[in-house]
Amino acid sequence: MSKNLFDFGMIGLGVMGRNLLLNMADHGFSVVGFDKDKAKNSALEASATPGTTVKGVSELSQMIQLLQRPRKVMMLVPAGQPVDDVIASLLPLLEKGDVIIDGGNSHYTDTLRRVKYLRDKEIHFMGIGVSGGEQGARTGPSIMPGGDQSAYENVRPMLEAIAAKVGDTPCVAYLGKEGAGHYVKMVHNGIEYAIMQLISESYAILKYAGLSNQQLHEVFKSWNEGKLQSFLVEITADIFLQKDDKTDAHLVDVISDKAGSKGTGKWTSQDSMELPVAVPVIDTAVAMRTVSGYKDERVKASELYSSNATFSGDIDELIQQVHDALYFATILSYAQGLAMLFQASKDLNMDIPLPEVVSVWRGGCIIRSSLLEVFTSAYRQSPELSNILLNQEVASLVKSVEDNTRSLIAFAAKSGTPAAALMASLAYFDAYRSERMPTNLIQAQRDYFGAHTYQRTDIPGTFHTEWGQQ
């Protein structure tokens, strides 16, 4: 009888849910999807590859009845209350040992709560991060599972089959306990925010220097063929060629400069402060999206603080400086995100394996890049590396572009071109490599006005001074 039942169920048949199910079906798994919208059920079945086993239903109880035991059900619904509502609808229909998977962008604290709640009911719960967008879901995403490891073993063959591959290695691995999967995906998205901001600042500097969209395309295309090779650089090159279907302009030039966000970058910043771990490039990327929303104020400010500065330097030299600064800052973005995962793994008791994280990110996901091969090597040498900047090979790469990074940031400051994330990356680097920071003065100030005490460099212990009484 079990041969007539389905291997996997999906709740929510938007583009991501539909494409993941079709991907599973293409790899030999029988799948059933549920959506109240009957048109989405029909679209799922119509999109299936001939010969695969795909069914859409509009009754949740029907889907559950069609699944093999232990049942494996994934939700792809908006984060927050909708996830809890689906869980509440599922519980009367499930049995002990069944597996519920949240494949959306839930905050890890919600995942922690749900793991505990369902564990008490003997239902397995997993939070899984999925990256790669619509196309990745259909052809091979990066998958970041966490939570119940025994439940992971139930779905591992299927996830390994549908994940992106680097060589013969699937871009999926068990990434830790409790809410680890969603935590890793949150940090992935924070790094994504940072790199997108860095690319946009690089674009702004090159546009200020007078490069046309065709020239920008050629520059980014050549960069993607070298050590800046990455998905985000690749699609940026493509964007500059896209013509608007309503005018004769390039589409990028008619898109509003008010950037949207869905909250995961903000979560990364907020949670980094709770640990605490410094992620200033990610923080800055989140802040710049906020500033982009001040459009009316920015227009007025541009009139008050207008600049007549123009570019008159060597364009090829500037392009190389932008390249090197983007490479430098991209490394720093990854370094900050990975340092956050290192600390969270310990402090939140999630046991996140960093070698597996960077390996999973090598293919399928939005932040995939050639740099991840370097990081994979670094973590294989030192799995407990607290910050990749402490790896010798990474240090050599950073130092090779440091001078041009400083020159580029000085140019951006002098020309008035906004480059906050590039600047934040250099500021973090300079602070991180400083044996002694000026924060001794801050400790003195805190003790002066608030008796917060301080420690000394020469004598152990905690001290307070009655300042101003000489």
Side-chain angles (χ1 to χ4, degrees):
M1 180 178 177
S2 64
K3 292 182 180 178
N4 298 320
L5 298 180
F6 289 79
D7 299 313
F8 196 85
M10 178 72 71
I11 298 172
L13 296 179
V15 176
M16 284 291 290
R18 181 177 74 238
N19 282 358
L20 278 174
L21 274 190
L22 295 174
N23 187 351
M24 293 174 186
D26 285 349
H27 286 87
F29 298 96
S30 57
V31 297
V32 55
F34 160 77
D35 203 291
K36 292 179 180 178
D37 186 342
K38 293 182 179 180
K40 290 182 179 178
N41 296 322
S42 299
L44 170 68
E45 294 181 357
S47 302
T49 303
T52 59
T53 305
V54 178
K55 183 175 181 62
V57 300
S58 54
E59 292 292 335
L60 188 58
S61 59
Q62 182 185 3
M63 185 187 79
I64 299 304
Q65 291 167 7
L66 289 170
L67 291 172
Q68 293 185 35
R69 293 176 174 83
R71 302 176 182 92
K72 297 173 279 292
V73 182
M74 177 183 278
M75 301 174 284
L76 271 173
V77 298
Q81 189 60 44
V83 176
D84 291 316
D85 292 343
V86 171
I87 291 172
S89 299
L90 280 171
L91 280 177
L93 306 173
L94 298 179
E95 299 174 349
K96 293 178 181 179
D98 288 344
V99 180
I100 302 176
I101 298 169
D102 178 7
N105 278 333
S106 291
H107 192 240
Y108 84 98
T109 54
D110 288 334
T111 305
L112 291 174
R113 170 175 54 80
R114 291 164 186 150
V115 166
K116 183 178 186 304
Y117 172 69
L118 291 167
R119 183 187 292 135
D120 293 342
K121 299 181 181 300
E122 298 185 69
I123 301 291
H124 301 292
F125 185 78
M126 299 181 66
I128 292 185
V130 181
S131 178
E134 299 172 8
Q135 185 63 27
R138 185 68 182 86
T139 60
S142 173
I143 307 175
M144 296 158 253
D148 190 321
Q149 190 163 9
S150 62
Y152 173 67
E153 292 304 319
N154 278 330
V155 297
R156 180 176 59 81
M158 184 179 302
L159 297 181
E160 289 182 349
I162 68 170
K165 307 294 188 299
V166 175
D168 295 326
T169 304
C171 292
V172 59
Y174 179 70
L175 297 184
K177 300 185 297 185
E178 309 295 348
H182 279 144
Y183 200 97
V184 171
K185 178 64 189 322
M186 176 187 73
V187 173
H188 165 286
N189 285 17
I191 295 170
E192 178 185 309
Y193 268 60
I195 296 174
M196 291 172 71
Q197 178 64 29
L198 293 167
I199 290 174
S200 76
E201 292 176 5
S202 301
Y203 155 66
I205 293 167
L206 294 174
K207 197 165 182 66
Y208 164 81
L211 267 65
S212 66
N213 286 318
Q214 179 62 40
Q215 290 171 316
L216 287 165
H217 162 74
E218 292 166 0
V219 166
F220 276 85
K221 184 174 183 295
S222 69
W223 287 356
N224 192 53
E225 294 165 356
K227 61 184 183 180
L228 272 174
Q229 187 279 321
S230 69
F231 173 74
L232 286 170
V233 170
E234 177 186 351
I235 67 169
T236 301
D238 292 344
I239 285 168
F240 292 123
L241 290 184
Q242 185 72 39
K243 287 296 188 75
D244 178 27
D245 60 2
K246 298 177 177 59
T247 68
D248 292 330
H250 284 86
L251 182 56
V252 69
D253 293 332
V254 296
I255 293 177
S256 168
D257 63 345
K258 292 195 290 186
S261 63
K262 291 188 176 180
T264 46
K266 179 180 69 175
W267 290 345
T268 310
S269 288
Q270 290 171 332
D271 289 319
S272 73
M273 294 177 188
E274 291 296 327
L275 283 171
V277 172
V279 292
V281 184
I282 297 172
D283 295 338
T284 301
V286 174
M288 289 302 101
R289 291 201 191 187
T290 302
V291 172
S292 77
Y294 305 161
K295 182 64 176 181
D296 292 342
E297 294 177 40
R298 289 191 290 113
V299 170
K300 294 175 182 177
S302 70
E303 297 168 355
L304 281 172
Y305 303 103
S306 61
S307 171
N308 296 319
T310 57
F311 177 71
S312 60
D314 184 321
I315 190 62
D316 291 332
E317 180 182 13
L318 181 67
I319 290 171
Q320 186 62 50
Q321 288 176 352
V322 175
H323 169 280
D324 289 356
L326 178 57
Y327 188 68
F328 174 98
T330 299
I331 293 174
L332 270 290
S333 300
Y334 282 115
Q336 291 169 24
L338 291 167
M340 182 174 172
L341 289 179
F342 174 85
Q343 196 63 42
S345 176
K346 295 182 179 298
D347 289 4
L348 303 178
N349 192 32
M350 289 191 291
D351 295 341
I352 298 170
L354 290 180
E356 281 77 8
V357 170
V358 293
S359 181
V360 164
W361 286 350
R362 291 181 302 158
C365 74
I366 303 302
I367 64 170
R368 63 186 184 265
S369 77
S370 58
L371 273 170
L372 287 161
E373 296 294 344
V374 178
F375 303 156
T376 298
S377 174
Y379 283 116
R380 282 174 181 160
Q381 295 172 29
S382 305
E384 291 300 309
L385 192 62
S386 60
N387 193 308
I388 57 167
L389 295 177
L390 299 176
N391 174 264
Q392 185 60 52
E393 182 180 0
V394 173
S396 297
L397 295 176
V398 169
K399 288 190 286 188
S400 72
V401 292
E402 180 184 345
D403 288 346
N404 268 353
T405 299
R406 294 185 185 281
S407 296
L408 188 279
I409 289 173
F411 169 83
K414 189 172 182 179
S415 66
T417 307
L422 288 166
M423 293 175 178
S425 69
L426 182 59
Y428 173 89
F429 172 73
D430 282 337
Y432 189 75
R433 70 182 185 87
S434 295
E435 182 180 357
R436 183 169 174 82
M437 293 174 61
T439 37
N440 56 314
L441 179 58
I442 292 174
Q443 287 299 88
Q445 292 167 334
R446 293 178 71 239
D447 192 56
Y448 191 116
F449 65 70
H452 293 294
T453 74
Y454 57 88
Q455 294 175 322
R456 297 174 59 96
T457 60
D458 55 349
I459 306 170
T462 300
F463 299 87
H464 167 62
T465 294
E466 294 298 327
W467 296 89
Q469 298 180 12
Q470 297 295 335

